[in-house]
Amino acid sequence: MQSVEVDAERVIREITPVLDRSRHKGQAGNIAVIGGCREYTGAPYFAAISALKIGADLSHVFCTKDAAPVIKSYSSELIVHPVLEESYSVREEDKKNISSKVLAEVGKWLERFDCLVIGPGLGRDPFLLDCVSEIIRHARKSNIPIVIDGDGLFLVTNHLELVSGYALAVLTPNVNEYKRLVQKVLSSEVNNEDPVEQVLTLSKQIGGVTILRKGKSDLISDGDTVKSVSIYGSPRRCGGQGDILSGSVAVFLSWARQHIEAAGPDSYLSSKNPAVLGSIAGSAMMRKAASLAFSNKKRSTVTGDIIECLGKSLEDICPAGSCSL
Amino acid sequence: MQSVEVDAERVIREITPVLDRSRHKGQAGNIAVIGGCREYTGAPYFAAISALKIGADLSHVFCTKDAAPVIKSYSSELIVHPVLEESYSVREEDKKNISSKVLAEVGKWLERFDCLVIGPGLGRDPFLLDCVSEIIRHARKSNIPIVIDGDGLFLVTNHLELVSGYALAVLTPNVNEYKRLVQKVLSSEVNNEDPVEQVLTLSKQIGGVTILRKGKSDLISDGDTVKSVSIYGSPRRCGGQGDILSGSVAVFLSWARQHIEAAGPDSYLSSKNPAVLGSIAGSAMMRKAASLAFSNKKRSTVTGDIIECLGKSLEDICPAGSCSL
């Protein structure tokens, strides 16, 4: 099977909402990142700030108590909730109680979010991952889309039932995460001869969850079709780019969903998968910003430089000036 | 009834004090923001730094112990007092004592302030809100103007007696906050057919408190008149813009009050309401800065970008070069 290089810029133009002064706060997207622990604080920040720079109105982070002051200090633009707990701070006999408390804290916010990003800087603490499993179950019940990356993929690869069959889930594995996923789901090794067929089979096997396989070309499949995005891109591989991607996909997925819903059931759009459209748009946006940053900063490009290029990248493709003022 | 689009730039020019080298620190305004808790730290920062960027000499934040180091880390320009307490850190039997302590801490500063901004990132902890109610009572006794936004509006909507009849109070509701206020005070729904009449009635009903209803056009009423401000503005609705507005209104209200007092009782100015003038000026200033930031950053505009445009916006309208050096 052949993948089809998709016109990603056209997708971005189609799903990005027109800006209009009569809109109010929240309508362009309210995103939450679940991640950030004692060890990792950069990743959830990158994902959450990228969502704002793409154009979401509000961006939240749910992280551990230790991580919160640090993530807050990176940017006053984010709303950071210090609610998650790791094993080292919890006594065995308190686990059940604390787990319920964490879920209640996250739960009271959940319905307001247009998309969750699960995994950036999450860590692998078993108690924390158990709580996150519950959050995924809750989100799924409420039909809230989820983008899963990093340690979220570690969790989900070991508990496929969490996402299996959920059409509003996107997994964004890199080379190693993809390898583990293929081993687990297909009991085989990565096939670089026919990657298109394999990503299609993989997605089908997990019940049509959208997979965005990151690479030289990004491959995107929901088990029905496979699209590739090869435009732009950068040879620089500094850590954190995956976090930008996950935050961007979250925003575009929300926009695609709104766009499809607004078009109604009789529109040709009704057959489109918002998770695939969001993945295509997020992939292209990340690749364009990375390319722009690399042309300025070359080998010294870091993730923050790429984030600074998101605004111009989107503006080049889809000028806000064309919005009704 | 028709609202009258007001010449907001003329109001700004009229009330902005002439800069003069013989003046000393504090004369251009000493503002305090009451807000900032474990969850929210960006909002009080935005309000307080905006007050400085408009031209206040000193800007304070009174927040919880958890929030203080984070808010301090955003800017070395602010004076941040870690004095508020939330229920989770207070034992039942200590509440009365701690409440008195909080009030004493805030109270010893209160008389120095030209205006308080109550609400940005305040949260909704009942114990904390009880303390803030006392702060409002104290401010009112001392005739200190107050601008109320965010969770402060949540508090005041449920305890209208806190502000009812206080001419130096400004409420700055957004769409949702306005809806709750109308439901509570007028026992009716928001009337979009005749918004001017409704905001007038609403203000009258709360005893002439000034209401700044934010929207595509901002509507401002003190129960006597209704003014609208429609100039400039931006279609971007990122969270935090309301905080810039509240900090800006606080400074302009202080300046308007000084200006009216200096003119004396025989001046035509003596009949003017400083809360209305401050609201008009703050609204226009925010809208101009947002418009300027949007023209640079488009969809990726965040609140910090707008704050960076406050200085140029004010300078465009009312050049400091024309002040007597």
Side-chain angles (χ1 to χ4, degrees):
Chain A
M1 181 181 179
Q2 278 283 299
S3 72
V4 179
E5 178 70 17
V6 67
D7 184 350
E9 299 196 351
R10 204 184 126 191
V11 170
I12 291 176
R13 276 190 291 270
E14 180 157 12
I15 64 179
T16 298
V18 170
L19 289 178
D20 175 328
R21 292 198 183 196
S22 64
R23 289 163 70 95
H24 60 263
K25 186 171 72 177
Q27 289 185 317
N30 189 355
I31 305 297
V33 177
I34 317 283
C37 59
R38 190 163 58 161
E39 217 157 3
Y40 304 114
T41 50
Y45 160 74
F46 290 142
I49 197 77
S50 297
L52 282 183
K53 299 274 181 171
I54 295 287
D57 287 342
L58 293 159
S59 189
H60 295 247
V61 175
F62 291 82
C63 61
T64 68
K65 293 194 163 63
D66 293 328
V70 176
I71 299 172
K72 284 168 186 279
S73 78
Y74 293 147
S75 170
S76 47
E77 309 286 345
L78 307 177
I79 302 164
V80 182
H81 307 262
V83 298
L84 302 180
E85 298 270 7
E86 293 180 84
S87 301
Y88 74 87
S89 65
V90 179
R91 287 183 311 179
E92 199 53 40
E93 61 268 35
D94 296 334
K95 282 194 173 164
K96 216 173 148 188
N97 260 345
I98 290 184
S99 171
S100 313
K101 236 178 100 179
V102 168
L103 283 170
E105 290 269 5
V106 181
K108 70 183 179 196
W109 285 92
L110 222 49
E111 309 288 330
R112 309 188 200 182
F113 297 128
D114 298 300
C115 190
L116 304 184
V117 181
I118 294 179
L122 193 59
R124 297 188 176 182
D125 179 75
F127 175 69
L128 190 150
L129 291 184
D130 281 349
C131 290
V132 172
S133 299
E134 286 304 319
I135 294 170
I136 294 176
R137 287 191 191 99
H138 187 154
R140 195 173 166 164
K141 256 188 224 149
S142 303
N143 271 315
I144 299 164
I146 47 180
V147 178
I148 300 183
D149 191 42
D151 295 316
L153 286 172
F154 170 80
L155 170 64
V156 157
T157 301
N158 293 321
H159 298 276
L160 285 163
E161 73 283 3
L162 287 172
V163 291
S164 186
Y166 186 42
L168 291 172
V170 177
L171 315 185
T172 57
N174 63 19
V175 173
N176 287 322
E177 291 154 349
Y178 189 73
K179 190 177 162 188
R180 280 196 293 268
L181 200 58
V182 165
Q183 287 170 339
K184 185 76 185 213
V185 178
L186 304 179
S187 306
S188 69
E189 291 306 312
V190 172
N191 175 357
N192 285 318
E193 302 300 306
D194 195 353
V196 171
E197 191 60 40
Q198 191 171 47
V199 72
L200 185 80
T201 310
L202 183 65
S203 167
K204 230 179 245 168
Q205 200 74 23
I206 319 178
V209 164
T210 294
I211 293 169
L212 195 179
R213 180 195 170 174
K214 297 178 277 194
K216 194 177 160 191
S217 292
D218 293 339
L219 285 181
I220 295 155
S221 181
D222 62 353
D224 271 342
T225 54
V226 182
K227 306 286 182 191
S228 74
V229 178
S230 314
I231 50 167
Y232 308 111
S234 144
R236 181 83 169 102
R237 291 287 174 269
C238 53
Q241 299 187 42
D243 307 311
I244 303 180
L245 178 70
S246 63
S248 306
V249 170
V251 179
F252 284 117
L253 196 173
S254 312
W255 288 351
R257 203 174 172 214
Q258 276 182 3
H259 183 63
I260 292 169
E261 276 172 9
D266 298 332
S267 159
Y268 79 100
L269 282 168
S270 66
S271 64
K272 297 267 188 180
N273 183 344
V276 169
L277 296 179
S279 297
I280 292 168
S283 162
M285 184 54 45
M286 168 63 209
R287 296 174 75 99
K288 184 164 167 66
S291 147
L292 206 58
F294 185 75
S295 70
N296 294 331
K297 300 289 185 100
K298 304 293 180 185
R299 289 178 198 274
S300 78
T301 308
V302 292
T303 298
D305 300 320
I306 301 173
I307 290 170
E308 280 314 300
C309 292
L310 286 171
K312 181 169 165 31
S313 300
L314 183 52
E315 183 64 16
D316 283 352
I317 295 171
C318 178
S322 63
C323 54
S324 71
L325 290 175
Chain B
M1 180 181 181
Q2 277 285 296
S3 72
V4 179
E5 177 71 15
V6 67
D7 184 348
E9 299 196 351
R10 203 183 127 191
V11 171
I12 291 175
R13 276 190 291 271
E14 180 157 12
I15 64 180
T16 299
V18 170
L19 288 179
D20 174 329
R21 292 196 186 196
S22 67
R23 289 164 68 97
H24 59 264
K25 186 171 73 181
Q27 288 185 318
N30 190 355
I31 305 298
V33 177
I34 316 283
C37 60
R38 188 165 58 160
E39 218 157 5
Y40 304 112
T41 50
Y45 160 73
F46 289 142
I49 197 76
S50 297
L52 283 183
K53 298 275 181 172
I54 295 286
D57 287 341
L58 293 159
S59 189
H60 294 246
V61 175
F62 292 81
C63 60
T64 68
K65 293 193 164 63
D66 293 327
V70 176
I71 298 172
K72 285 168 186 278
S73 79
Y74 293 147
S75 171
S76 48
E77 310 288 346
L78 307 177
I79 303 163
V80 182
H81 306 260
V83 298
L84 303 181
E85 298 269 7
E86 292 180 85
S87 300
Y88 75 87
S89 64
V90 179
R91 288 184 309 180
E92 199 54 40
E93 61 268 36
D94 296 335
K95 281 194 173 166
K96 216 173 150 187
N97 260 344
I98 289 184
S99 172
S100 314
K101 237 177 97 179
V102 169
L103 282 170
E105 290 269 2
V106 181
K108 71 184 178 193
W109 285 92
L110 221 49
E111 310 287 329
R112 310 187 199 182
F113 296 128
D114 298 300
C115 189
L116 304 185
V117 180
I118 293 179
L122 193 58
R124 296 187 176 185
D125 179 75
F127 175 70
L128 190 150
L129 291 183
D130 281 350
C131 290
V132 172
S133 299
E134 285 305 319
I135 295 171
I136 294 176
R137 287 191 190 97
H138 187 153
R140 194 173 167 164
K141 255 187 222 149
S142 303
N143 270 315
I144 299 165
I146 47 179
V147 178
I148 299 181
D149 191 43
D151 295 316
L153 286 172
F154 170 80
L155 170 64
V156 157
T157 301
N158 293 322
H159 298 278
L160 286 163
E161 73 282 3
L162 287 171
V163 291
S164 186
Y166 186 43
L168 290 173
V170 177
L171 315 186
T172 56
N174 63 19
V175 172
N176 288 322
E177 291 155 350
Y178 189 73
K179 190 176 162 190
R180 281 195 292 269
L181 201 58
V182 165
Q183 286 170 340
K184 185 76 186 212
V185 178
L186 303 179
S187 306
S188 70
E189 293 304 314
V190 172
N191 175 356
N192 286 317
E193 302 299 307
D194 196 352
V196 170
E197 192 61 41
Q198 191 171 46
V199 72
L200 186 81
T201 310
L202 183 65
S203 167
K204 231 179 243 167
Q205 200 76 21
I206 319 179
V209 164
T210 294
I211 293 168
L212 194 179
R213 180 195 170 173
K214 296 179 278 196
K216 195 174 163 192
S217 291
D218 293 338
L219 285 180
I220 295 155
S221 180
D222 62 353
D224 271 344
T225 55
V226 182
K227 305 285 182 192
S228 73
V229 178
S230 314
I231 50 167
Y232 307 112
S234 144
R236 180 83 169 104
R237 292 287 173 268
C238 52
Q241 299 188 46
D243 307 310
I244 301 180
L245 179 71
S246 63
S248 306
V249 169
V251 179
F252 285 118
L253 195 173
S254 311
W255 288 350
R257 201 173 175 216
Q258 277 183 3
H259 182 64
I260 291 168
E261 276 171 9
D266 299 332
S267 159
Y268 80 101
L269 280 169
S270 65
S271 66
K272 297 268 187 180
N273 183 344
V276 169
L277 295 179
S279 297
I280 292 167
S283 161
M285 184 54 44
M286 167 63 208
R287 296 175 74 99
K288 185 163 167 66
S291 147
L292 206 56
F294 186 76
S295 69
N296 294 329
K297 300 288 186 99
K298 304 292 179 182
R299 291 178 197 272
S300 76
T301 308
V302 293
T303 297
D305 299 321
I306 300 173
I307 290 171
E308 281 314 301
C309 292
L310 286 171
K312 179 166 167 31
S313 300
L314 183 52
E315 183 64 16
D316 282 352
I317 295 171
C318 178
S322 64
C323 55
S324 70
L325 291 177

